[in-house]
Amino acid sequence: MKGMERRRELLSWLNEQGSVTLTGIVNRFRVSKMTAHRDLEMLEQRRLLKRIHGGAIAMNTPVPSGTASAVPAQRRDNCLICQRPVGPHLLYSLISTDGAQRHFCCPHCGVSAQLAYPEQSAMAMATDYLTGRPHPVQHSWFVLGSVVVPCCRPSMLTFEDEEMARRFQSGFGGRLGRLAEALDYLRGEMRLHQGDEGCPHCAQVAAMNPDG
C-alpha cells in the first residue's frame, strides 16, 4: 500500500473510531513505528488530526469561537484516549466549552486530553484515589510516577487532601504536584518516550514489519 493511500485509510479509520493508538496503526498497516509517526505528523500538519501520547485523536469541525478544533465526541463507555473501560474509581471528567462532558479512565488520560485541547476544557473533575470522592481538578494533588500503576503509564493519581497525598507518596514514591506540574510531567514524558505506546496495559505486542 502506497503512503498516500495508507494515510487516507488511516484518516478514515481514525474518524470512525475517534482515536487510534500507535500500536494499532503498526498492526493494521504492517508498518514500522517510524512510518506511523511520520504519517501522523503529516496529517497533523494538515490539521486533519491531533497527535497525543501513543497515538492520535480525530479533529472535528471547528467550533464557533474560532479555536482550531473541537474535542471529538465520546463513544460508548470507553476512554476517549486509550479506549479502556471507564470506571468510577479513577474517573477523570472534562466539561468542554460547549457543555459536553467527556470521561476518561484515569488522570493520565484526562491530563492527556487537556494537553491536546487546552482551549476546549472549561472545567475538569478528578476522583480521590483513596476515598473515591469527586472534586475539582484545580483542588487536586497529583502523585506522579509512583510504583502504583492501576491503569495507564506513567501513573498519575489524584488526591483531594494534601496530607493524604504526601503519605501516599512517602510509601509508594513519585512526585507531588498540582495540575500545572501534572501537565508539565506528562509533556516531558511524551518527549522522552515518543516511540512508546501511551497505555501499555491496553496494547498487545506489535509484530514489527519495518517497510520505511
Side-chain angles (χ1 to χ4, degrees):
M1 182 183 295
K2 294 184 177 180
M4 185 178 296
E5 181 183 355
R6 182 181 63 248
R7 287 187 287 274
R8 187 181 300 116
E9 184 176 330
L10 168 59
L11 189 61
S12 176
W13 179 41
L14 174 63
N15 288 331
E16 289 177 4
Q17 298 295 318
S19 65
V20 295
T21 65
L22 192 67
T23 294
I25 297 170
V26 168
N27 288 337
R28 183 183 178 100
F29 298 103
R30 309 298 297 173
V31 297
S32 67
K33 281 191 175 183
M34 182 178 296
T35 297
H37 273 297
R38 188 162 57 240
D39 284 351
L40 293 180
E41 183 177 6
M42 291 178 65
L43 292 171
E44 185 180 48
Q45 288 174 351
R46 298 172 188 174
R47 296 184 178 276
L48 297 173
L49 56 77
K50 179 71 176 180
R51 286 191 296 169
I52 60 171
H53 185 40
I57 298 175
M59 296 182 77
N60 293 344
T61 304
V63 295
S65 63
T67 52
S69 63
V71 181
Q74 184 151 18
R75 299 172 183 272
R76 302 188 185 133
D77 296 322
N78 290 342
C79 177
L80 185 64
I81 298 294
C82 72
Q83 300 302 312
R84 290 172 67 91
V86 175
H89 187 57
L90 296 169
L91 179 65
Y92 196 105
S93 302
L94 295 181
I95 296 88
S96 61
T97 52
D98 62 3
Q101 293 189 32
R102 291 168 175 87
H103 307 296
F104 303 88
C105 63
C106 65
H108 169 104
C109 286
V111 173
S112 292
Q114 288 181 278
L115 281 176
Y117 297 98
E119 304 91 353
Q120 300 291 317
S121 302
M123 179 190 290
M125 296 291 291
T127 303
D128 188 287
Y129 181 66
L130 295 179
T131 68
R133 191 166 74 175
H135 58 278
V137 167
Q138 63 264 33
H139 298 160
S140 272
W141 291 90
F142 288 77
V143 176
L144 310 167
S146 77
V147 297
V148 177
V149 188
C151 197
C152 300
R153 293 180 185 271
S155 174
M156 303 178 74
L157 303 174
T158 50
F159 299 81
E160 189 175 14
D161 182 74
E162 180 183 2
E163 179 62 27
M164 295 306 295
R166 291 190 181 279
R167 290 183 182 182
F168 185 92
Q169 178 198 24
S170 68
F172 299 101
R175 292 161 46 189
L176 191 67
R178 293 292 213 171
L179 177 60
E181 286 77 25
L183 291 165
D184 287 343
Y185 174 78
L186 189 55
R187 193 180 290 115
E189 287 292 315
M190 290 167 66
R191 285 195 296 265
L192 287 173
H193 305 289
Q194 290 182 7
D196 294 344
E197 177 57 53
C199 299
H201 289 254
C202 316
Q204 298 179 347
V205 177
M208 304 288 283
N209 179 24
D211 69 349

